[in-house]
Amino acid sequence: MYPVSAEHSADTGLHWGFFFDTPLFMSKASYIKLFSGLIFAITVIGGWYLFRSAESLGNEISTKFDGKRWEVPAIVYARPLELYPSMVFTADLLEKELQLAGYRKENPVTVPGGYFRNSSSFNIITRGFHFPGGIEEPTELLITFKDNNVDTLLSTNSDEELPFFRFDPARIGSFHPLVHEDRIVLESSEIPTLLRRGLMAVEDKDFLSHLGVSPTGVFRALLKNISAGKTVQGGSTLTQQLVKNFFLDRERTISRKLKEAVMAILLEYHYSKDEILTAYINEVFLGQDGNRAVHGFALASQFYFRRDLSDISAGQLATLIGMVKGPSVYDPRKYPASCKARRAVVLRVMLEDNILSQGDYDRALTEPLTDVKVQKNGFNRFPAFLDLVRYQLQSEYEKEDLRGNGLRIHTTLNPQVQWQIEKSLGDTATSLKKSDSKNDIQGAVLVTGRENGEVLGVSGGINPLETGFNRALDAHRPIGSLVKPAIYLAGLEQGYTLASPLVDTAIQLEHGGDQWNPQNYDKKEHGRVLFYQALSRSYNLATVRLGMDIGLDNVIATLGKLGFGKPIHPYPSLLLGAVEMTPLQVSQIYQTIASGGFYLPLRSIQSVMTQDRQLLKRYGLEVEQRFSPPLIQLLTHALERVVSEGTASSYRLRSNSIFAGKTGTSDLLKDSWFAGFSDTFLTVVWLGKDDNSSTSLTGSSGALKVWGNIMDNLEAGTDLLKVTPSPEIVWARIDENSLKATSMKGSGTTVLPFLVGTEPDFPPKIPDTGIKAIEDGARKFFEKINKIFQ
């Protein structure tokens, strides 16, 4: 001990008496008082902290649970299949459409969504569907076919012949949130009682009595795990599982487990048991479909059994309940043995808890896991078309609306058209591979309705399931001679006729100090040709001379009126297609021609509805007349000549329909195009390579073959191209040399349409008196000859 000096003692104010007067140990009562104070302080501070934490967690729970609980993807539907008696249709096509729409093949057919085929006869129970115009209830149908036509269309509910029937449309895709979760959200009233009771019996027997956590459940699970020597049962309640899936991450820590328990208690405090169980049934993860996570019992029922949840059997319901424990481990398609064993456990629990009778248990135990085959359904089956739908919706809806608000989007997709596109492109790729194994050609196709501008099918590449770069929408390529109809239409507007003479001889042009010497594809000059011939035979020199005569600005203005909205530089090379467009943009231009001069914005969407089936918007037909229909009739006739006698005549179409169209080839054979239409369809085809190298294909040797194959198959059994006769059009036979009208048939003459007043005149007629004098003179001459020989 160090001594303390008197001075130090005085300076610090300390006295020795202080040490001797203060007790070294407090009394017992003082200790209790101090400890009690500390406990009280800790309790107050801890309670305040817990209260604040609980309040924060409660707010977090309420914010999410009271708001939008799930990011429900927008669902995209194809057009509904419509049938009527005598319609050209086949039994195979109907079955293919039913399978795309997720129908089950079964016998007997007992619930909606099932069908049975017996050769050319079908028994079907359709699913009810909420169309924009209202709900259509399920219907039992008998449909028969004869000679590739619908023969019988009978409602077996009422035993009456139907003049028409519309099926529920196929779900062809969805726009997912970033997490790629998908679900069908059920209301409490839509949940089967058997599912409620079975789920609680297997996963949480004390669900109706506990407050979010269950000590007895934990103890029960502990005993079973000890008895089994491994983990066979968890102690988490349904409420805890919901909290873990809905609010928390997958971290395995003590703090996260404590947070889960607190949040479960708070969830039970704020919400009813029914709300919690309903949320769980909608939330639980039950499998994976590619990159799409299957959540909720309703979607899982559709995914595994192609049935609504209300229509599945007790055995199928037990299968889904069993999968809650591990969807990947008990997947009925991948691991049927494990799934069947797990189903047996679930069924035994349901029997012991008197949820199933002995008879129901026995039947469920012996039934197969699933009674439907794994089929390629329509979920995101047509990615190029979905890209177009998204593209056309983005100007009206935010990405979040499309990804998370559960919109119902009804589209114009015709699966039969789409399948034909895919087949024709695939066959072309296969053919080219045979001749050149290194050929990496790509392609894009759009098919639209000629009279309404509805997009019926799209392919953005040779592989129809390929996602990413969609060439139909995003490949900007030189269009070559596809530009020529715009030039000739501008010429018709300025007074040219189909019989006007054009000069197909060499021409040299200068632009910006550079000289341009265009050539014909065959490197020849053809001299004087008729207007329609220059277009049908795709003569470059005549086209350039025509374009320069009418003016580049007029050509650009015509392209704009046809529907191309991008700026174009007025270079002379524009006249031979030195302008880049996508197949979608080309389709819009040719749509205006095909529809008789009326601009119809191409559309892939018919209507949009909210998640609760309220109509948001119906996309009707928009029409704007931009050209005189008689002028378009003249142009259409010239485009018909392209197919019948011009650059597209090499492909012999099997159909009886009349077609009109135009070939297109870019420099160095880098792009092969064909755009053309019939009475029903407009189709645009592009073939090329992504690296912009040569394809060695012209428009006629490449794209035309794909186009012809598509149109031949789509037009089988349809009518001829119908052009309503116009009182402003007259037809005249002309002599191609004199350009005069003639009544003489034969080579060197042709029949062409003209605007009234522009048709050529007949040559001056010899007066009847002159003819009679010639005849008399000839008679007298022959009489004299006869007298000589007599």
Side-chain angles (χ1 to χ4, degrees):
M1 172 179 268
Y2 293 99
V4 179
S5 65
E7 292 84 359
H8 179 73
S9 154
D11 291 340
T12 59
L14 294 177
H15 303 279
W16 289 104
F18 169 80
F19 293 97
F20 294 104
D21 294 340
T22 302
L24 293 176
F25 302 99
M26 292 186 295
S27 65
K28 185 176 180 181
S30 298
Y31 271 114
I32 293 173
K33 186 175 181 181
L34 177 62
F35 183 74
S36 298
L38 290 173
I39 292 297
F40 177 75
I42 291 172
T43 302
V44 170
I45 294 172
W48 178 83
Y49 176 79
L50 288 174
F51 173 77
R52 296 292 303 196
S53 297
E55 184 181 41
S56 175
L57 291 175
N59 290 335
E60 181 182 340
I61 291 170
S62 298
T63 298
K64 186 166 184 179
F65 220 72
D66 289 338
K68 186 172 67 175
R69 296 182 183 179
W70 295 283
E71 296 288 323
V72 181
I75 299 174
V76 185
Y77 296 97
R79 63 90 184 95
L81 174 64
E82 298 175 347
L83 295 182
Y84 56 86
S86 76
M87 176 180 175
V88 177
F89 209 74
T90 67
D92 288 344
L93 267 181
L94 176 58
E95 185 164 33
K96 197 171 182 181
E97 289 255 10
L98 290 173
Q99 291 181 355
L100 179 71
Y103 276 70
R104 310 172 308 279
K105 189 173 184 177
E106 59 188 12
N107 188 25
V109 184
T110 57
V111 295
Y115 78 95
F116 175 70
R117 177 182 180 180
N118 182 12
S119 185
S120 59
S121 175
F122 287 80
N123 293 98
I124 306 169
I125 301 181
T126 66
R127 291 187 289 252
F129 192 79
H130 198 138
F131 289 96
I135 298 176
E136 292 191 10
E137 299 296 338
T139 304
E140 295 183 30
L141 294 174
L142 171 64
I143 303 176
T144 64
F145 292 86
K146 185 178 181 180
D147 299 329
N148 293 334
N149 286 268
V150 178
D151 187 45
T152 304
L153 188 56
L154 180 72
S155 169
T156 55
N157 302 74
S158 58
D159 199 31
E160 65 174 322
E161 291 276 354
L162 300 176
F164 166 88
F165 189 80
R166 176 173 61 174
F167 287 83
D168 52 297
R171 176 177 172 173
I172 58 169
S174 51
F175 299 141
H176 290 270
L178 296 179
V179 292
H180 278 261
E181 291 182 2
D182 199 1
R183 58 175 50 80
I184 298 173
V185 179
L186 297 174
E187 300 293 333
S188 174
S189 59
E190 299 174 301
I191 298 174
T193 301
L194 190 63
L195 172 58
R196 291 176 182 272
R197 296 184 64 193
L199 185 62
M200 287 187 290
V202 174
E203 290 293 322
D204 189 354
K205 289 184 179 293
D206 302 323
F207 176 73
L208 295 177
S209 59
H210 64 61
L211 300 178
V213 293
S214 175
T216 57
V218 173
F219 183 69
R220 188 187 306 116
L222 181 63
L223 291 178
K224 285 198 173 186
N225 293 338
I226 292 173
S227 175
K230 58 180 179 180
T231 302
V232 296
Q233 183 174 326
S236 295
T237 65
L238 286 175
T239 312
Q240 286 177 276
Q241 292 180 45
L242 177 61
V243 166
K244 178 175 63 178
N245 296 332
F246 204 64
F247 298 102
L248 302 176
D249 55 32
R250 297 294 178 182
E251 184 184 13
R252 291 177 174 270
T253 62
I254 295 296
S255 61
R256 195 204 65 83
K257 195 66 179 176
L258 289 173
K259 187 177 181 180
E260 174 190 301
V262 172
M263 294 184 78
I265 294 170
L266 291 171
L267 190 64
E268 293 268 2
Y269 175 77
H270 287 287
Y271 299 96
S272 69
K273 291 287 186 180
D274 181 64
E275 289 177 291
I276 293 170
L277 186 60
T278 299
Y280 182 92
I281 287 170
N282 285 319
E283 167 61 26
V284 64
F285 171 67
L286 288 170
Q288 196 74 29
D289 178 23
N291 64 350
R292 178 179 71 123
V294 177
H295 283 256
F297 279 85
L299 182 59
S301 177
Q302 290 281 359
F303 178 61
Y304 292 107
F305 308 117
R306 293 182 175 265
R307 286 178 169 84
D308 291 337
L309 186 60
S310 59
D311 294 327
I312 63 176
S313 67
Q316 291 167 337
L317 194 62
T319 298
L320 296 182
I321 292 173
M323 292 176 67
V324 169
K325 184 178 179 182
S328 59
V329 177
Y330 300 112
D331 187 324
R333 297 170 179 174
K334 294 181 178 179
Y335 307 107
S338 299
C339 181
K340 204 166 189 177
R342 176 62 180 165
R343 182 187 69 175
V345 171
V346 173
L347 289 171
R348 170 58 61 178
V349 171
M350 295 174 74
L351 175 65
E352 292 172 350
D353 285 15
N354 296 317
I355 298 171
L356 291 178
S357 67
Q358 185 66 49
D360 290 337
Y361 169 79
D362 292 339
R363 282 189 294 273
L365 196 62
T366 57
E367 73 178 39
L369 283 176
T370 179
D371 57 355
V372 296
K373 294 180 180 179
V374 178
Q375 297 170 332
K376 183 184 289 185
N377 60 26
F379 284 113
N380 294 351
R381 172 70 177 75
F382 311 115
F385 187 86
L386 293 179
D387 284 344
L388 178 60
V389 172
R390 187 185 292 108
Y391 170 77
Q392 295 193 333
L393 283 174
Q394 67 185 8
S395 62
E396 298 183 48
Y397 299 91
E398 297 293 333
K399 288 183 180 179
E400 291 72 19
D401 295 328
L402 296 179
R403 290 175 173 173
N405 286 340
L407 298 178
R408 264 60 177 167
I409 302 167
H410 298 264
T411 74
T412 59
L413 178 85
N414 184 324
Q416 297 162 48
V417 173
Q418 183 68 37
W419 290 324
Q420 189 57 55
I421 290 173
E422 295 174 2
K423 182 180 184 304
S424 296
L425 265 182
D427 289 348
T428 298
T430 301
S431 175
L432 292 172
K433 284 287 185 183
K434 287 181 179 178
S435 59
D436 180 5
S437 61
K438 296 181 179 179
N439 197 312
D440 55 351
I441 197 160
Q442 273 296 342
V445 179
L446 281 99
V447 178
T448 65
R450 176 174 176 254
E451 294 184 345
N452 55 25
E454 292 184 347
V455 180
L456 307 176
V458 180
S459 183
I462 295 295
N463 180 359
L465 297 179
E466 182 182 55
T467 59
F469 184 52
N470 187 337
R471 296 162 189 85
L473 277 59
D474 302 321
H476 295 262
R477 306 293 291 233
I479 65 172
S481 292
L482 291 192
V483 77
K484 289 178 180 175
I487 301 168
Y488 285 78
L489 178 56
L492 291 171
E493 284 192 303
Q494 293 200 14
Y496 282 84
T497 73
L498 294 185
S500 295
L502 299 179
V503 178
D504 188 64
T505 57
I507 182 174
Q508 184 178 84
L509 299 172
E510 185 173 324
H511 182 82
D514 296 326
Q515 287 189 342
W516 184 47
N517 299 283
Q519 291 182 315
N520 283 323
Y521 179 74
D522 61 5
K523 304 297 190 294
K524 297 178 181 178
E525 299 177 20
H526 302 93
R528 193 195 73 167
V529 295
L530 300 189
F531 187 93
Y532 87 90
Q533 292 173 333
L535 178 56
S536 66
R537 300 172 188 176
S538 204
Y539 290 154
N540 291 339
L541 299 177
T543 300
V544 171
R545 288 182 178 277
L546 172 64
M548 296 306 295
D549 179 56
I550 61 180
L552 294 174
D553 289 341
N554 285 325
V555 173
I556 292 171
T558 300
L559 283 167
K561 287 170 65 180
L562 285 170
F564 185 66
K566 303 293 183 181
I568 301 176
H569 297 293
Y571 301 147
S573 57
L574 157 69
L575 300 173
L576 297 184
V579 56
E580 293 186 347
M581 296 186 191
T582 66
L584 177 64
Q585 292 168 332
V586 171
S587 295
Q588 183 64 77
I589 287 175
Y590 276 79
Q591 184 72 46
T592 305
I593 298 171
S595 60
F598 293 89
Y599 174 73
L600 307 173
L602 298 183
R603 57 194 177 96
S604 60
I605 306 158
Q606 292 182 333
S607 62
V608 177
M609 302 176 72
T610 62
Q611 186 177 350
D612 57 358
R613 279 71 172 178
Q614 298 299 310
L615 182 64
L616 278 179
K617 184 173 181 179
R618 194 187 297 272
Y619 292 78
L621 189 64
E622 299 178 24
V623 181
E624 178 188 345
Q625 183 175 340
R626 294 193 173 179
F627 296 94
S628 162
L631 283 180
I632 295 295
Q633 281 188 235
L634 300 183
L635 179 65
T636 298
H637 179 79
L639 294 176
E640 289 175 16
R641 296 291 191 103
V642 172
V643 178
S644 63
E645 63 187 58
T647 55
S649 61
S650 60
Y651 188 93
R652 308 314 300 177
L653 291 149
R654 299 188 307 272
S655 171
N656 292 325
S657 295
I658 297 175
F659 300 94
K662 187 70 188 75
T663 51
T665 310
S666 66
D667 285 346
L668 304 179
L669 306 183
K670 293 181 178 181
D671 301 275
S672 172
W673 290 91
F674 195 86
F677 52 92
S678 63
D679 184 54
T680 312
F681 304 103
L682 162 70
T683 299
V684 172
V685 178
W686 168 83
L687 297 179
K689 295 186 177 182
D690 290 340
D691 63 3
N692 204 31
S693 61
S694 175
T695 64
S696 302
L697 297 172
T698 63
S700 58
S701 65
L704 172 63
K705 294 181 178 180
V706 179
W707 179 89
N709 188 268
I710 292 171
M711 296 296 272
D712 252 342
N713 285 281
L714 294 182
E715 285 292 338
T718 60
D719 297 327
L720 298 178
L721 176 61
K722 298 187 289 290
V723 179
T724 304
S726 170
E728 300 177 53
I729 295 287
V730 294
W731 291 77
R733 180 177 292 277
I734 67 164
D735 184 303
E736 294 180 353
N737 292 317
S738 68
L739 304 184
K740 299 292 185 180
T742 180
S743 59
M744 302 291 290
K745 296 182 179 180
S747 61
T749 71
T750 190
V751 177
L752 294 172
F754 296 87
L755 295 180
V756 172
T758 67
E759 68 273 21
D761 296 329
F762 279 90
K765 293 183 178 180
I766 301 174
D768 289 343
T769 54
I771 293 175
K772 191 173 187 306
I774 292 173
E775 289 176 346
D776 290 342
R779 186 166 50 252
K780 290 177 181 179
F781 173 77
F782 284 110
E783 286 175 354
K784 289 180 180 180
I785 296 293
N786 287 332
K787 287 179 180 180
I788 292 173
F789 284 101
Q790 290 176 353

